[in-house]
Amino acid sequence: MTLVGKNFPNLAVDSMNNRGENKKINIVEEAQNQGKKVLLFWYPKDFTFVCPTELHAFQAAVEAFEKRNTIVIGASCDTPEVHFAWLCTPKNNGGIEGVSYPILADSNRNLANQLGILDVTNERYDEETGAVMVDGDNVTYRATYLIDEKGVVFHESVNHMPVGRNVAEFIRLIDAYTHVQQNGEVCPANWTEGEEAMNANREGVATYLSEQLN
């Protein structure tokens, strides 16, 4: 089920940053208390392959997100201690040294379970042991959530493990949603900041399409 248009789960989760600070973060409270949007992106595992390229890509865009009143937060199911070890590992050894935003450590998978983004392809009951067994790695897909200042989700997307994200698209989506918030217009396909938007009525779309065709 999609969360778009709904409140993000109101749940505090452990996090870690590059200063070794382990604290609880509640995404909804971060958005509401700071009056900012939140970009929350999940990745499968620390110390892997596509994942560090994404964390560095989001780090490179942190200033662009900050200019748009947006907080960047990473997340996986690794522990805070593993996050910190990776944060202290240099790039030339596959690490994410230099990443400054916090990373959620959802090691009990409470939030990932609520979001339904875990790689669990099958659950089965083992009659001999009485245990529930799962197929899959039980780690998250590459899910991304954009949350507004009230804690409401205005975008969600999920990539399979091998496919990295395009950070620029999330900047475009934040620009578009901010334009809607500030101007009451809607943003057409491929809209980017500074381009014409449209009024959400028959006249608005007719005017926009006629201008685009000329």
Side-chain angles (χ1 to χ4, degrees):
M1 291 179 61
T2 181
L3 280 179
V4 171
K6 303 180 180 70
N7 290 326
F8 192 80
N10 187 7
L11 183 67
V13 180
D14 280 331
S15 74
M16 177 57 69
N17 63 23
N18 62 356
R19 296 181 297 278
E21 296 168 340
N22 178 199
K23 67 175 186 177
K24 297 279 189 181
I25 290 181
N26 182 311
I27 297 297
V28 173
E29 291 179 358
E30 289 291 306
Q32 294 176 345
N33 293 343
Q34 296 192 46
K36 295 185 177 184
K37 295 178 175 67
V38 177
L39 182 151
L40 173 66
F41 74 96
W42 295 78
Y43 62 92
K45 298 177 184 178
D46 291 3
F47 291 99
T48 52
F49 319 112
V50 175
C51 296
T53 70
E54 291 195 311
L55 274 85
H56 286 300
F58 280 108
Q59 178 63 39
V62 161
E63 186 175 338
F65 286 113
E66 289 176 346
K67 287 180 180 178
R68 291 163 172 80
N69 199 41
T70 301
I71 304 165
V72 175
I73 299 175
S76 82
C77 296
D78 294 280
T79 65
E81 294 79 11
V82 175
H83 283 341
F84 189 57
W86 203 26
L87 284 160
C88 294
T89 303
K91 290 181 181 179
N92 63 8
N93 199 24
I96 58 169
E97 187 177 41
V99 166
S100 61
Y101 50 81
I103 305 174
L104 298 188
D106 188 31
S107 55
N108 59 16
R109 292 163 170 72
N110 285 342
L111 182 53
N113 265 312
Q114 285 195 39
L115 297 172
I117 56 174
L118 288 167
D119 172 29
V120 176
T121 56
N122 183 47
E123 292 186 2
R124 61 188 186 282
Y125 179 72
D126 188 315
E127 294 185 359
E128 184 176 342
T129 63
V132 176
M133 310 294 285
V134 300
D135 295 322
D137 287 341
N138 203 23
V139 298
T140 67
Y141 294 108
R142 301 186 191 281
T144 313
Y145 297 86
L146 297 178
I147 299 125
D148 72 14
E149 298 85 348
K150 295 181 181 179
V152 176
V153 177
F154 65 91
H155 168 83
E156 66 178 347
S157 58
V158 183
N159 290 14
H160 207 343
M161 310 295 188
V163 182
R165 282 161 280 210
N166 182 343
V167 173
E169 172 62 4
F170 301 115
I171 293 174
R172 189 194 74 82
L173 289 166
I174 291 168
D175 285 342
Y177 192 73
T178 301
H179 184 92
V180 172
Q181 289 176 310
Q182 294 176 349
N183 299 284
E185 297 178 314
V186 294
C187 296
N190 299 323
W191 182 93
T192 58
E193 180 62 36
E195 294 183 344
E196 290 294 321
M198 67 170 74
N199 293 318
N201 53 43
R202 286 174 59 88
E203 293 77 13
V205 68
T207 300
Y208 178 83
L209 291 176
S210 64
E211 290 175 351
Q212 295 301 304
L213 293 174
N214 292 332

